[in-house]
Amino acid sequence: AADEARLFGRDGPIALTPRELHVLRRLMKNAGRVVTKAQLTETLAELNEDIGEKTVEVYVHRIRHKIHDNGVEIVTVRGFGYLLRVTG
């Protein structure tokens, strides 16, 4: 089934691919806590995506670009993973 969830930012809808949305959901569910690259890889495996950690980095980079200036940011915690936090 198609993923029908929509994300809205300050300036209207934010276009995310189903994979990007899946990664962002995992980060949102764990806001304020570090999510490892391995956990994000497992999250994408739920979509039958067999990917590596480099691909996770690409998705996080794309999501960061798309959600900037919307009151949240994805912070890299070196050696651990990523953290979604509220900025304002």
Side-chain angles (χ1 to χ4, degrees):
D3 196 334
E4 296 183 17
R6 291 183 176 220
L7 182 67
F8 289 87
R10 291 182 177 156
D11 298 325
I14 298 173
L16 293 173
T17 67
R19 292 178 191 116
E20 291 167 349
L21 186 59
H22 218 60
V23 168
L24 183 57
R25 275 191 186 136
R26 180 73 182 257
L27 291 168
M28 290 171 68
K29 286 179 183 176
N30 293 282
R33 294 184 303 231
V34 175
V35 179
T36 68
K37 289 180 187 177
Q39 289 171 320
L40 293 175
T41 300
E42 290 170 13
T43 295
L44 289 166
E46 295 169 7
L47 296 175
N48 295 318
E49 296 292 328
D50 186 18
I51 63 160
E53 291 184 357
K54 285 287 187 193
T55 307
V56 168
E57 291 173 13
V58 171
Y59 287 137
V60 169
H61 174 77
R62 290 180 187 165
I63 295 165
R64 275 186 178 135
H65 179 73
K66 292 178 179 185
I67 67 169
H68 80 316
D69 292 336
N70 279 289
V72 294
E73 68 179 345
I74 301 171
V75 178
T76 300
V77 180
R78 296 227 180 264
F80 293 100
Y82 301 101
L83 173 86
L84 183 78
R85 72 174 179 199
V86 176
T87 60

